[in-house]
Amino acid sequence: TRWNDEHVTNLVKGARDALKECNVKEENIFETEVPGSFELPLAARFLALSGTVDAIICAGVLIKGDTMHFEYICDTVTSGIMSVGLQTSVPCVLGVLTCLNEDQVIARSTGDNNHGSDWGKTAVEMALLRSEALGAKKGMSKMGFGSAEPVKESEVKKDRVGFF
């Protein structure tokens, strides 16, 4: 989002760095902007429906003010981003800091505690989980992480239950 741009820029940098650390190629990372956090769910839906992305990180910063506006926006954005992921099966990472003041934002968007880094790693993990869960079929994109080869039956551990 462009709202609270300085902090969002720090978070996006953290996410980009984490994606690169996970071997996502630079050409497979792109950014788009929206005015504020309220617009994130619709933008995420557009991206998810485009079929061009394997995961979406919705990055924004909300800081509580004197009115109830903060609570309404936090609730709506959180619910909207989750709905996009559930409706489209494209992982949508909730990368929106909801803080009471700017000091809390700074503590969560800079240095070793930059939450953007966690969001980048979560996006990769969830994209890979989606690929595994839905079965990588012949002709499927490489997702930007490497080959999307189906898991061979001989490689599956029979004693494991779920997606671990």
Side-chain angles (χ1 to χ4, degrees), residues 4-120:
N4 292 310
D5 182 58
E6 177 185 346
H7 303 302
V8 174
T9 298
N10 290 338
L11 292 163
V12 169
K13 182 183 180 326
R16 288 183 76 88
D17 290 347
L19 292 171
K20 291 176 192 172
E21 184 181 314
C22 292
N23 297 319
V24 177
K25 297 176 185 172
E26 180 70 34
E27 62 266 19
N28 291 324
I29 302 171
F30 76 94
E31 296 174 33
T32 188
E33 286 186 353
V34 295
S37 292
F38 186 80
E39 290 76 27
L40 285 170
L42 183 58
R45 184 166 172 82
F46 290 154
L47 289 171
L49 293 176
S50 75
T52 61
V53 298
D54 298 301
I56 300 165
I57 303 170
C58 298
V61 171
L62 294 168
I63 303 172
K64 182 159 178 52
D66 295 331
T67 68
M68 291 294 293
H69 181 75
F70 172 82
E71 285 81 1
Y72 296 132
I73 298 298
C74 289
D75 184 52
T76 301
V77 170
T78 302
S79 177
I81 292 170
M82 176 59 77
S83 292
V84 172
L86 292 173
Q87 292 169 2
T88 65
S89 296
V90 174
C92 294
V93 178
L94 177 63
V96 180
L97 291 182
T98 55
C99 298
L100 299 177
N101 56 56
E102 194 166 12
D103 289 338
Q104 288 181 348
V105 175
I106 292 167
R108 290 161 178 78
S109 64
T110 59
D112 291 338
N113 198 31
N114 185 329
H115 286 24
S117 179
D118 295 327
W119 302 336

Side-chain angles (χ1 to χ4, degrees), residues 83-164:
S83 292
V84 172
L86 292 173
Q87 292 169 2
T88 65
S89 296
V90 174
C92 294
V93 178
L94 177 63
V96 180
L97 291 182
T98 55
C99 298
L100 299 177
N101 56 56
E102 194 166 12
D103 289 338
Q104 288 181 348
V105 175
I106 292 167
R108 290 161 178 78
S109 64
T110 59
D112 291 338
N113 198 31
N114 185 329
H115 286 24
S117 179
D118 295 327
W119 302 336
K121 291 173 185 174
T122 297
V124 170
E125 183 176 348
M126 292 305 295
L128 292 171
L129 175 61
R130 175 182 183 246
S131 176
E132 291 173 17
L134 299 181
K137 297 189 172 138
K138 188 174 182 179
M140 186 174 175
S141 76
K142 289 189 177 183
M143 297 178 49
F145 312 117
S147 66
E149 299 298 322
V151 176
K152 294 177 183 150
E153 188 66 30
S154 62
E155 296 173 0
V156 177
K157 294 186 186 221
K158 303 292 182 191
D159 59 337
R160 295 172 70 181
V161 179
F163 301 107
F164 301 103

